Amino acid sequence: MSDCNHNCSSCGEGNCSEREGKSPFEIKPLRPGCRVGKVFGVVSGKGGVGKSMVTSQLAVTMRRRGYNVAVLDADVTGPSIPKAFGVHCRANGTEDAILPVETRTGIQLMSVNLLLENETDPVIWRGPVIGGVVQQFWGDVLWQDVDYMFVDMPPGTGDVALNVFQTLPVDGVIIVASPQELVSMVVEKAVKMAQMMNIPIVGIVENMSYLTCPDCGKKLYLFGEGKTEEAAARYNLPVLAKMPIEPALATLVDHGDIESFQGNWLDDVADAVSE
């Protein structure tokens, strides 16, 4: 601006090109007395690959290791985290803040489903409104001494994903993919978005990787093998886990009992997050 004195502290202009080193997207501070250590986004280039399943199991895995864990459900129009944990109550709050809902094992949750009068009501909001809700989930919720927060991101690379990367202090992302032929393009989209936003990529989780034969125990690769490794190799990324098609997991989610799952598929992901 022609009359700029380069003193940003006294300037009321919100979109000034002279505001060096500043971004119009700023991280909203947490409430006084709240603490969140590390924040990891669980992302995918498309829907239906099991992103919420990976988020839930990773949160449970870290909780079993003794950490204080939280899940912020940023998939506002398709929230499924409360269902997986069997949480159907509404979140309570104070005059100016929201209290997260705790699961049976003490994982803190916040999701739009915890604010709706009926959890089956659709969320028919435009992108900017949804983005604002995600920011409120970060800054207006009384997160209690959280070591690791996992953000269940919406699929794709649209408004909400962009908003999360620009307004939450994301320390890294975990990319979830499936082994179909489409995986290369899907992984590439997620990788490029993270790179454009300067967010470190922890690694890739391949979901629905194989089915274990109940009779002989042999792994059956229904969608083929090697596609995820090829896509990961192009970007020098590790494939940290290969999760099976496991009917028992689906049953646990349907019953809201994901905290009872048995399996060590995500141990390497948990190790990478801890490091």
Side-chain angles (χ1 to χ4, degrees):
M1 298 177 65
S2 59
D3 58 346
C4 178
N5 62 6
H6 301 287
N7 182 9
C8 295
S9 63
S10 63
C11 178
E13 183 67 26
N15 296 311
C16 177
S17 60
E18 298 292 327
R19 193 181 292 266
E20 297 179 4
K22 299 290 183 178
S23 168
F25 300 94
E26 296 184 359
I27 296 173
K28 190 173 184 177
L30 292 170
R31 288 278 164 173
C34 296
R35 183 188 76 87
V36 174
K38 296 293 184 179
V39 180
F40 292 91
V42 183
V43 308
S44 65
K46 65 182 293 294
V49 298
K51 176 174 43 56
S52 297
M53 174 71 80
V54 171
T55 303
S56 302
Q57 289 191 54
L58 186 54
V60 173
T61 300
M62 296 302 287
R63 181 60 180 158
R64 288 175 179 174
R65 294 187 176 195
Y67 295 108
N68 292 332
V69 180
V71 178
L72 190 159
D73 191 353
D75 194 356
V76 176
T77 59
S80 54
I81 292 297
K83 167 75 172 176
F85 285 92
V87 175
H88 302 286
C89 61
R90 296 184 69 184
N92 295 315
T94 64
E95 290 184 358
D96 60 351
I98 308 170
L99 298 173
V101 175
E102 284 198 5
T103 70
R104 176 170 51 85
T105 63
I107 297 173
Q108 299 173 49
L109 304 182
M110 182 47 58
S111 169
V112 73
N113 258 20
L114 303 177
L115 303 177
L116 299 176
E117 185 172 348
N118 299 300
E119 61 181 18
T120 57
D121 289 345
V123 177
I124 310 174
W125 298 339
R126 295 191 182 276
V129 177
I130 295 174
V133 170
V134 172
Q135 291 181 53
Q136 286 185 296
F137 283 174
W138 169 259
D140 291 341
V141 174
L142 298 175
W143 301 108
Q144 299 299 307
D145 196 26
V146 176
D147 297 316
Y148 293 97
M149 173 181 284
F150 298 101
V151 182
D152 186 19
M153 301 277 284
T157 55
D159 281 353
V160 180
L162 182 64
N163 188 281
V164 169
F165 285 155
Q166 291 178 323
T167 59
L168 267 64
V170 180
D171 294 285
V173 297
I174 298 146
I175 298 174
V176 182
S178 57
Q180 290 94 330
E181 289 287 350
L182 194 63
V183 68
S184 296
M185 182 184 70
V186 169
V187 169
E188 190 166 347
K189 286 179 180 291
V191 168
K192 286 185 175 180
M193 182 175 191
Q195 290 176 338
M196 291 172 65
M197 304 305 299
N198 294 318
I199 305 293
I201 302 171
V202 178
I204 298 175
V205 174
E206 183 182 85
N207 191 30
M208 298 180 283
S209 181
Y210 59 89
L211 176 67
T212 302
C213 176
D215 296 323
C216 66
K218 182 180 179 180
K219 292 181 179 180
L220 307 175
Y221 294 90
L222 304 179
F223 304 109
E225 295 183 77
K227 304 179 186 69
T228 303
E229 285 92 342
E230 292 172 7
R234 283 200 292 274
Y235 293 94
N236 196 29
L237 296 173
V239 178
L240 296 173
K242 291 190 174 184
M243 292 180 56
I245 300 172
E246 179 55 71
L249 286 176
T251 300
L252 288 175
V253 171
D254 289 343
H255 293 163
D257 194 23
I258 192 62
E259 289 167 295
S260 296
F261 89 90
Q262 301 297 318
N264 58 357
W265 306 292
L266 294 178
D267 280 358
D268 286 346
V269 184
D271 290 342
V273 164
S274 298
E275 293 169 2

